[in-house]
Amino acid sequence: MDDKGTEESEVEIKLTDGVSAHVIHRERLERVRRQGREKKRQEEERKKEERKKEERKKKNQENPESSDSEDEEDAYLIEQLTKMGISVKKPEPPEGSGLVYDDRMAKFQCLWDPAFPEKPERITEPFARCSELGLIERCTRIEAQYGTEDQVLLLHTESHLEKLKDTVDMSREALKKVSAKYDSVYFHPGTYEASLLALGSTVELMEQILKKKVRNGLAIIRPPGHHAMTEEFCGYCFINQVAIAAKHAVDNLGLKRVLIVDWDVHHGQATQQMFYDDPRVLYFSIHRYEYGKYWPNLRESDYDFIGEGNGKGYNVNVPLNKIHMNDTDYLAIFHQVLMPIAHQFSPDLVFISGGYDAAIGDYKGEMRVTPVAYAHMTHTLMSLAEGRVCICLEGGYCIKSLSEAVALTLRTLLGDSCPMLPAMGDPCHSITSTILNVIKVLRPYWSCFSYQTELTWEELCPFEDVNEMPPKPDMPFVTEENKPKEFPIMYEFEDGVEEEYIIQHKFDPVIDQLIAETSLATPPNKTCIVYDEGMRVHHAITFRGHPEDPDRVTSIFDKHSEWGLLDRCLRVQSRLATDGEIQTVHSSSYIEQMQASAELPPMELRNLQHSFNSIYMCPETNVCARMAAGCVLSVTDAVLSGQANSGVAVVRPPGHHAECTKAMGFCFFNSVAIAAKYAQNKFGIKRVLILDWDVHHGNGTQHSFYEDPSILFISLHRYDHSFFYPSSTDGNHNMTGSEAGNGFNVNIPFNEGPKGDAEYKAAFQQVVMPIAYEFAPELVLVSAGFDAALGDPLGGYHITPAGYGHMTHMLSSLANGRVIVALEGGYNLSSISNSMATVTSVLLGDPCPYLPYAQPQESAVKSINSTLDSHKQFWKCLKFRVPIPDLRPKVEERNSEEEKEEKLEEEKFKENIDELAKNMTSVSVYDGTGQVGEEPKSTNQPESCVTEQATSNVETDPINVGTKPKMETKQLEMETTPTSNNTLTTKTKELGDDTNVQGAGGTMGGAGGAMGGDGGAMGGAGGAMGGAGGAMGGAGGAGTSVDENMGAVGGANNSVLDRLNVVQALEDMGHQQMYAIQPLTWCPHLDTVHSLPQRVLDTGAPCLDCGNLGENWVCLVCYKVFCSRYVNEHMVIHGAMEQHLMTLSFSDLSVWCYGCDNYIDNQIVNAAKQAAYRHKFGTEMSGS
């Protein structure tokens, strides 16, 4: 079983030989049946295709002139719907990390001051430390190149270059004399050569990354460059290599957006100046400032210098106004400012001006950033630009901390897990003020800053500096007028610094201890995986086509095999969880009940099934549930024993709804909760983070650890004001834990419409990652339901595989990379297969797929803010949720009417098919030609009209980034007019050609049930069959204006084409059902709803026919209570016999109309819903 080549395993079930043989027999029989069904399907498809060809041929012969026939309209519609099939590209094999280093850059030094900080050891010692750790041999070595004069002249003047050239033949005295003309500079005869080598090496490394010869890279070079101005040497810098490379990238190599992150402790004023009006380059600098007292003492280094002209908003300064800033402060900058703005900017390439003079022990920076923190900052930035990160050494003058930080940076680029950081503390008052000030001035230009409220007229921000604008009075800024004519050529220490840092070596033992305590152990396997065919035998006996289908795990496993991921993973032995292991979460009586279920007669088993909420059972259920839990424990063993760094468990049935004493929501044993207790009991793990991204709230997990401060539970889920399954207020943001566990239960409940990548990523940036770093888990367990994925029939959300990849990447920075991902829900086979395979790919170290930016919905921002408000009393990292001054009106005044119209137009069309396709980049759109479409451009720039990607002209220049081809677009004008049958016709005008296309109504969706039925766990948004609207359909089809309240991409009109014909056509073309809808806001049967006889509904009332207490519904005509179609179908029978078509679910309080075959949301039914809510939860329903 632990062989990497093993494809399948037959489970050895240690109960009785009869059960074991029975399971194996059922599996073999199922495999034969599956093969037979596949052959039959293929034969039917072939016959259908032949029939269609004959019909088209006959049609053309009868009417060869017809160009706008109904068949052509139907074909066009089907083609548009077909384009929405998800086709995720297999990840390319990871390239190596490039490394540039050349001893020739160590041959110059200050000839008259041996103690000068900028010395050869700055590159030789980091290189030696990287070699000592075995990192050099793992890199792709890139030969250092000399920069050309043309490259220098991209940003420097000819006179500047000539002055540098002249120093080659100067005497020592002449060098001293010319050095005195510039601030903090010394010249050496080798300076010119080293500067050209630093430039050429930077450009060469960048080009190798863009050519995909390497994935990322590090240039260990000197002299530094970010202070070198257009015509002035400054701060040990002569040629600004990073700025020149960035300029070369946008001017000559076709890149659209480049991000430069400058974490050197000194402000890179020269880089800022060179791109101050250029929106193609976002410059982000974190630097010591002290209100202007610290070098280079410039007014322009403060936070309010944000660019000018077209570049306004693209220059970001984060000035540090006190010394001794630490890891907590720097990570707060990343979480609150850098990563939100970087994701919105969506760069094609990331440069890091890697100065390490903020590292602990550096006497120039006097900061306290640890070497490990640089690994985490690097890892965070690697989520951008598909991992294209180019790091170039700038400053860093404590050789010991510099060497360690550079080595850990390179180790991270190579894909090794970040070493653990201790729990983050309280961001200091000064950095909090700075971060809020940065957000204050940038908020008018970047929509990602939505998590601070606005000050009222009488209100002041609690951080006093935020209420003012700089500068502080009487600051001694350096200007052209007052700067000295001559500068010292000997290095001068600041007061007290030499004694503390140089003479006493105060920080040497601290650095030594940090190094000793940092575990750099690397397991032999990056990721392990477990899967067993035995988990397929759990199946629904009475409900054919149940969404929790055995093929869920098989399709995921097959996708892993197709992508070659299995060969890169350690295969782990499956097993059954023992009674003792399960008892850490579940009661003994419940375990015995489950054990006995295997021997129950069919009717008794069915009765037991009906006693639970949203459950089906078969004789093999107990064994499969034990195996699911046991497999997660096997992965936990492999990870915590050091066999693998991370793990993936492809298991079913899911577990996170299972309570201590009962099954519910397809779940029997809470595998992840059991694994958390197992890790604590067997391995002594002190802190476990459980992250649940299943679309449903993990009620069972929450209840298991609600009072436990050793387990942090964070759940992101669809809530819909408690109406979405499991339909309990326990999933609300104010449920924070109790007693010692208060604050350790974090719910991020989403309401009001479908959510996707943008909303989940924002929640991670604002809530999940800050809290996780403050908690500092030793193990991360992910309850990985993929029912929030695009196309899921129950979830109705829009997360793409790329979105799941990015969330996984963020989590993998925690706990030494010990992340275990266990399958929970997810019911679209295509979606779950691609999504979980992408998660495994990222855990294996592959780059994050490209993910374009989209603005999170206001309702999601509201939910995130509610969670922040509920938890900021418990977590210091959430202190940034305060009111700040609003400067946005100043920007609104400069907006032209045209810009406003474009924004309105963008909002108008944001939910049509083309817009949805933009949000699926790496999840590519199939274009019907057999080719996977290239990535659309980022949505951070508004577009005024719907565009159709036509032909792709991919440049053959190997320098050009392959994933960003130039696209020719056809501008389409959409005119929507009613037709004689009250449908909508969209006329598409393109270069004078008219094509009439009828819009389609929704296909394949019930607003809740998997089969368009009534409620329970399947009462989500968008069923697999039945209903109206449809994620891809809409009231006017692709390209027409739609009401965003009517569904993901469309409304409820479904009369254009017969829904089943469209579905059948899509199935004929091999496309799976991937559509979800919203409830109808009106239906003709609302008139039959009677008012409540009394203002009370008893949601615990039994079925009048069978006495069932599980999933029951109440008739809104006669107010009799009957059971659902998933029990004994008595409500369905009642509706058919009495023609009472309107019903209300006691499970999730949704309303279903049998006449319209859809869910209904109208104020006429609100009185009944309010009464049910009042009885069920003891309070009034919000928003009613």
Side-chain angles (χ1 to χ4, degrees):
M1 283 293 291
D2 56 357
D3 249 343
K4 290 186 178 179
T6 303
E7 291 298 324
E8 295 180 346
S9 66
E10 292 185 345
V11 55
E12 291 298 328
I13 303 176
K14 300 176 182 178
L15 296 178
T16 68
D17 291 340
V19 174
S20 178
H22 177 64
V23 171
I24 296 173
H25 171 73
R26 285 187 64 90
E27 168 51 31
R28 288 174 176 166
L29 181 61
E30 178 63 26
R31 190 180 301 128
V32 171
R33 287 173 175 169
R34 198 163 63 249
Q35 291 171 349
R37 288 195 299 267
E38 179 63 20
K39 289 181 180 179
K40 182 179 178 181
R41 185 188 64 80
Q42 292 175 355
E43 180 64 20
E44 289 176 349
E45 286 181 352
R46 185 185 63 81
K47 291 180 180 179
K48 287 179 181 178
E49 185 62 29
E50 289 178 354
R51 286 197 300 269
K52 285 191 288 184
K53 287 181 179 179
E54 288 298 322
E55 290 173 358
R56 286 196 297 267
K57 183 177 180 181
K58 183 178 179 181
K59 188 90 173 182
N60 290 336
Q61 290 172 347
E62 292 174 353
N63 189 9
E65 303 299 325
S66 175
S67 62
D68 58 351
S69 67
E70 182 179 346
D71 282 350
E72 289 188 8
E73 292 175 350
D74 293 355
Y76 180 89
L77 173 63
I78 292 170
E79 178 187 2
Q80 297 306 305
L81 294 175
T82 300
K83 287 180 180 178
M84 301 314 299
I86 291 181
S87 176
V88 181
K89 294 181 288 187
K90 175 182 176 181
E92 297 180 5
E95 309 89 358
S97 294
L99 176 68
V100 182
Y101 171 81
D102 195 303
D103 284 330
R104 287 175 290 178
M105 286 179 277
K107 291 182 178 178
F108 78 98
Q109 60 187 4
C110 184
L111 298 176
W112 49 87
D113 185 357
F116 206 92
E118 212 296 283
K119 52 190 175 183
E121 290 85 350
R122 291 187 56 254
I123 62 169
T124 57
E125 291 302 312
F127 183 82
R129 178 57 174 159
C130 291
S131 181
E132 179 184 352
L133 294 177
L135 305 178
I136 303 299
E137 60 197 36
R138 296 170 56 192
C139 294
T140 300
R141 294 295 298 274
I142 295 174
E143 186 177 354
Q145 305 288 328
Y146 287 108
T148 67
E149 292 190 3
D150 286 342
Q151 290 171 346
V152 176
L153 296 177
L154 283 173
L155 288 173
H156 296 288
T157 64
E158 285 195 30
S159 62
H160 180 85
L161 179 59
E162 290 303 319
K163 290 174 185 175
L164 185 57
K165 276 186 185 179
D166 291 343
T167 63
V168 173
D169 299 318
M170 283 186 181
S171 66
R172 175 178 171 134
E173 291 304 313
L175 291 170
K176 291 172 68 175
K177 186 175 181 180
V178 72
S179 297
K181 295 180 180 180
Y182 302 101
D183 188 0
S184 304
V185 162
Y186 71 80
F187 287 94
H188 179 279
T191 299
Y192 175 64
E193 179 186 19
S195 298
L196 289 182
L197 278 170
L199 170 60
S201 298
T202 299
V203 172
E204 179 66 16
L205 177 59
M206 176 194 71
E207 292 189 351
Q208 292 295 314
I209 292 171
L210 296 181
K211 291 175 183 177
K212 295 189 176 182
K213 300 296 183 182
V214 293
R215 182 172 64 189
N216 53 45
L218 171 66
I220 303 178
I221 54 177
R222 64 183 284 264
H226 67 146
H227 299 306
M229 291 171 274
T230 300
E231 200 168 8
E232 183 176 350
F233 310 110
C234 182
Y236 314 160
C237 301
F238 305 92
I239 295 174
N240 197 326
Q241 51 261 15
V242 167
I244 291 172
K247 181 74 168 173
H248 176 50
V250 295
D251 279 0
N252 304 324
L253 304 184
L255 271 65
K256 304 300 183 186
R257 294 172 300 277
V258 173
L259 168 64
I260 300 175
V261 177
D262 189 339
W263 65 42
D264 190 284
V265 82
H266 304 92
H267 181 226
Q269 85 282 14
T271 308
Q272 171 172 307
Q273 294 166 11
M274 290 168 173
F275 298 109
Y276 203 59
D277 61 353
D278 191 339
R280 300 173 301 171
V281 177
L282 173 62
Y283 177 65
F284 192 104
S285 177
I286 307 169
H287 52 268
R288 181 177 168 185
Y289 186 57
E290 298 183 72
Y291 301 106
K293 295 178 182 178
Y294 188 69
W295 193 91
N297 311 104
L298 300 174
R299 172 71 179 88
E300 66 196 62
S301 302
D302 214 341
Y303 69 83
D304 59 326
F305 276 71
I306 60 173
E308 64 183 8
N310 292 332
K312 203 160 191 179
Y314 291 88
N315 190 87
V316 183
N317 287 323
V318 184
L320 309 180
N321 291 317
K322 65 183 287 290
I323 59 175
H324 302 163
M325 297 279 187
N326 57 25
D327 297 350
T328 296
D329 303 314
Y330 269 69
L331 286 179
I333 296 167
F334 268 62
H335 291 150
Q336 299 298 323
V337 185
L338 175 53
M339 295 315 295
I341 200 172
H343 279 292
Q344 183 168 352
F345 182 62
S346 191
D348 300 319
L349 175 68
V350 177
F351 274 109
I352 299 176
S353 280
Y356 294 87
D357 37 9
I360 186 168
D362 194 292
Y363 54 87
K364 290 179 70 66
E366 297 186 77
M367 297 298 175
R368 300 286 188 270
V369 181
T370 66
V372 171
Y374 285 105
H376 283 258
M377 293 190 290
T378 301
H379 179 274
T380 302
L381 291 169
M382 287 169 65
S383 67
L384 303 168
E386 296 179 279
R388 292 187 290 269
V389 176
C390 183
I391 305 180
C392 301
L393 183 63
E394 296 281 2
Y397 306 97
C398 172
I399 300 302
K400 184 171 289 189
S401 63
L402 166 67
S403 300
E404 195 66 19
V406 168
L408 296 189
T409 297
L410 179 56
R411 187 175 178 273
T412 303
L413 290 176
L414 285 163
D416 291 353
S417 297
C418 297
M420 269 191 67
L421 281 168
M424 295 295 98
D426 186 2
C428 70
H429 185 94
S430 178
I431 197 60
T432 304
S433 297
T434 292
I435 287 172
L436 293 173
N437 273 324
V438 172
I439 293 173
K440 175 181 71 178
V441 296
L442 289 176
R443 192 161 59 165
Y445 305 92
W446 297 94
S447 58
C448 58
F449 297 123
S450 304
Y451 305 97
Q452 286 73 36
T453 56
E454 300 172 15
L455 289 171
T456 62
W457 287 109
E458 303 83 9
E459 193 177 11
L460 290 176
C461 179
F463 297 90
E464 56 277 3
D465 280 358
V466 182
N467 299 308
E468 304 170 351
M469 290 296 290
K472 294 285 186 183
D474 303 323
M475 283 294 110
F477 296 113
V478 172
T479 66
E480 286 297 320
E481 291 73 25
N482 67 14
K483 71 178 182 180
K485 302 297 183 183
E486 189 172 289
F487 295 87
I489 61 172
M490 303 292 289
Y491 182 74
E492 299 176 353
F493 287 96
E494 294 185 19
D495 292 342
V497 170
E498 184 176 17
E499 177 69 23
E500 182 178 14
Y501 286 81
I502 305 301
I503 298 174
Q504 295 184 6
H505 298 286
K506 177 180 178 180
F507 291 96
D508 284 4
V510 177
I511 298 169
D512 289 337
Q513 184 175 357
L514 285 172
I515 293 172
E517 292 174 350
T518 300
S519 172
L520 300 181
T522 302
N525 299 281
K526 186 72 176 173
T527 302
C528 65
I529 190 169
V530 66
Y531 165 79
D532 197 299
E533 287 276 343
M535 285 177 283
R536 288 183 51 84
V537 298
H538 170 61
H539 65 286
I541 297 174
T542 58
F543 179 23
R544 187 176 179 181
H546 194 285
E548 209 290 276
D549 181 84
D551 285 341
R552 293 174 62 239
V553 290
T554 308
S555 64
I556 291 172
F557 186 78
D558 290 346
K559 181 63 67 173
H560 278 69
S561 178
E562 176 188 334
W563 282 12
L565 302 175
L566 297 180
D567 294 335
R568 299 167 60 191
C569 293
L570 170 70
R571 289 291 300 278
V572 173
Q573 179 80 37
S574 61
R575 71 174 179 91
L576 303 182
T578 67
D579 284 356
E581 291 163 346
I582 299 173
Q583 282 172 359
T584 59
V585 172
H586 297 282
S587 69
S588 299
S589 60
Y590 172 62
I591 295 171
E592 291 171 2
Q593 184 182 38
M594 286 297 300
Q595 182 78 31
S597 69
E599 306 299 329
L600 291 177
M603 285 305 299
E604 291 186 29
L605 182 62
R606 185 174 182 180
N607 290 337
L608 177 62
Q609 167 184 298
H610 293 161
S611 71
F612 297 128
N613 183 347
S614 298
I615 286 295
Y616 71 74
M617 299 183 72
C618 66
E620 298 81 12
T621 295
N622 177 61
V623 169
C624 286
R626 283 177 177 266
M627 179 171 288
C631 285
V632 178
L633 299 186
S634 291
V635 173
T636 304
D637 273 321
V639 170
L640 295 182
S641 65
Q643 299 176 56
N645 200 70
S646 58
V648 175
V650 185
V651 296
R652 68 177 290 269
H656 70 146
H657 292 308
E659 299 280 6
C660 174
T661 60
K662 63 181 180 181
M664 66 178 289
F666 310 163
C667 302
F668 299 91
F669 296 136
N670 197 324
S671 303
V672 167
I674 293 169
K677 298 300 293 184
Y678 182 79
Q680 291 184 323
N681 295 337
K682 181 175 180 179
F683 294 95
I685 297 297
K686 295 181 177 62
R687 295 178 306 280
V688 178
L689 165 62
I690 298 177
L691 189 287
D692 190 335
W693 67 43
D694 189 284
V695 78
H696 304 93
H697 177 237
N699 54 286
T701 310
Q702 172 169 309
H703 296 153
S704 296
F705 305 114
Y706 203 61
E707 299 175 359
D708 189 345
S710 69
I711 294 181
L712 171 63
F713 177 63
I714 303 179
S715 177
L716 303 89
H717 51 270
R718 180 173 176 179
Y719 184 60
D720 290 354
H721 304 291
S722 81
F723 285 119
F724 193 71
Y725 191 87
S727 307
S728 167
T729 55
D730 285 355
N732 208 2
H733 61 84
N734 57 0
M735 304 301 290
T736 61
S738 65
E739 298 184 3
N742 208 359
F744 293 89
N745 192 88
V746 183
N747 286 321
I748 306 173
F750 290 122
N751 303 302
E752 301 166 14
K755 305 296 182 284
D757 297 335
E759 291 75 28
Y760 275 67
K761 187 163 62 176
F764 261 67
Q765 289 172 346
Q766 295 297 319
V767 181
V768 176
M769 296 311 296
I771 290 179
Y773 268 103
E774 188 170 339
F775 180 66
E778 298 172 289
L779 174 67
V780 177
L781 295 169
V782 182
S783 278
F786 295 99
D787 38 9
L790 177 64
D792 191 90
L794 269 63
Y797 274 18
H798 297 156
I799 301 179
T800 64
Y804 285 113
H806 278 256
M807 290 190 287
T808 303
H809 178 86
M810 286 187 265
L811 292 173
S812 65
S813 66
L814 304 167
N816 269 335
R818 295 190 295 197
V819 177
I820 295 174
V821 178
L823 179 65
E824 296 281 2
Y827 308 99
N828 179 292
L829 299 186
S830 175
S831 298
I832 63 175
S833 301
N834 288 313
S835 296
M836 197 161 193
T838 300
V839 165
T840 303
S841 169
V842 171
L843 288 176
L844 283 164
D846 296 344
C848 285
Y850 175 69
L851 189 64
Y853 180 79
Q855 178 64 19
Q857 297 173 11
E858 288 187 13
S859 62
V861 172
K862 182 178 179 181
S863 295
I864 292 169
N865 283 337
S866 295
T867 300
L868 292 172
D869 290 338
S870 292
H871 278 273
K872 64 183 181 182
Q873 60 180 311
F874 306 113
W875 300 98
K876 303 178 183 70
C877 58
L878 305 183
K879 65 193 300 183
F880 303 93
R881 170 84 174 136
V882 295
I884 61 174
D886 187 11
L887 306 183
R888 281 174 286 193
K890 295 181 180 178
V891 175
E892 290 172 4
E893 291 169 4
R894 69 180 177 85
N895 284 343
S896 66
E897 288 302 316
E898 182 179 356
E899 287 173 325
K900 292 179 181 178
E901 290 175 5
E902 287 179 353
K903 184 174 181 180
L904 290 173
E905 191 73 10
E906 182 186 30
E907 290 294 318
K908 183 179 179 182
F909 287 102
K910 70 178 181 180
E911 300 217 44
N912 64 27
I913 289 177
D914 289 329
E915 189 68 16
L916 182 59
K918 287 182 187 175
N919 291 328
M920 294 171 56
T921 350
S922 212
V923 180
S924 302
V925 179
Y926 184 77
D927 63 5
T929 66
Q931 301 295 320
V932 176
E934 297 290 347
E935 300 166 358
K937 69 180 183 179
S938 168
T939 58
N940 66 327
Q941 300 295 334
E943 295 189 11
S944 59
C945 60
V946 180
T947 62
E948 175 184 83
Q949 292 184 352
T951 57
S952 301
N953 292 335
V954 182
E955 296 187 357
T956 57
D957 180 0
I959 299 296
N960 199 31
V961 182
T963 56
K964 290 285 195 305
K966 293 185 176 180
M967 307 297 293
E968 294 181 5
T969 60
K970 300 177 183 178
Q971 303 298 326
L972 306 182
E973 295 180 19
M974 298 298 186
E975 297 179 1
T976 305
T977 56
T979 62
S980 58
N981 60 351
N982 293 325
T983 64
L984 296 177
T985 298
T986 300
K987 179 171 287 186
T988 305
K989 295 183 178 180
E990 178 201 327
L991 301 177
D993 297 332
D994 289 354
T995 306
N996 289 326
V997 184
Q998 284 192 336
T1003 68
M1004 308 291 293
M1011 294 296 175
D1014 37 9
M1018 291 163 285
M1025 297 177 64
M1032 309 303 171
T1040 62
S1041 174
V1042 296
D1043 181 349
E1044 65 183 10
N1045 293 322
M1046 294 301 292
V1049 185
N1053 187 334
N1054 60 354
S1055 59
V1056 180
L1057 287 176
D1058 179 82
R1059 199 182 321 158
L1060 295 179
N1061 288 341
V1062 175
V1063 171
Q1064 187 61 55
L1066 289 171
E1067 290 179 347
D1068 292 345
M1069 299 171 72
H1071 289 266
Q1072 301 185 34
Q1073 302 164 6
M1074 301 186 65
Y1075 310 102
I1077 69 163
Q1078 298 296 309
L1080 299 179
T1081 57
W1082 179 87
C1083 88
H1085 307 102
L1086 285 166
D1087 292 341
T1088 67
V1089 175
H1090 288 186
S1091 57
L1092 276 169
Q1094 301 173 341
R1095 292 188 66 250
V1096 177
L1097 276 180
D1098 182 2
T1099 57
C1103 172
L1104 290 178
D1105 284 355
C1106 66
N1108 169 70
L1109 293 173
E1111 298 179 30
N1112 288 335
W1113 291 65
V1114 62
C1115 173
L1116 296 182
V1117 181
C1118 64
Y1119 287 93
K1120 294 179 179 179
V1121 176
F1122 297 100
C1123 62
S1124 80
R1125 69 176 59 191
Y1126 304 127
V1127 183
N1128 293 313
E1129 301 186 339
H1130 288 135
M1131 180 57 79
V1132 177
I1133 296 170
H1134 171 77
M1137 296 290 293
E1138 304 295 334
Q1139 285 299 294
H1140 292 181
L1141 305 179
M1142 302 294 295
T1143 62
L1144 169 69
S1145 166
F1146 285 159
S1147 177
D1148 63 4
L1149 306 189
S1150 59
V1151 173
W1152 178 263
C1153 175
Y1154 288 114
C1156 295
D1157 198 29
N1158 212 328
Y1159 285 86
I1160 307 299
D1161 184 15
N1162 187 283
Q1163 63 182 4
I1164 291 176
V1165 301
N1166 279 355
K1169 292 173 73 172
Q1170 181 68 267
Y1173 189 95
R1174 189 184 306 114
H1175 182 269
K1176 188 168 186 174
F1177 301 113
T1179 184
E1180 295 298 315
M1181 181 174 66
S1182 62
S1184 62

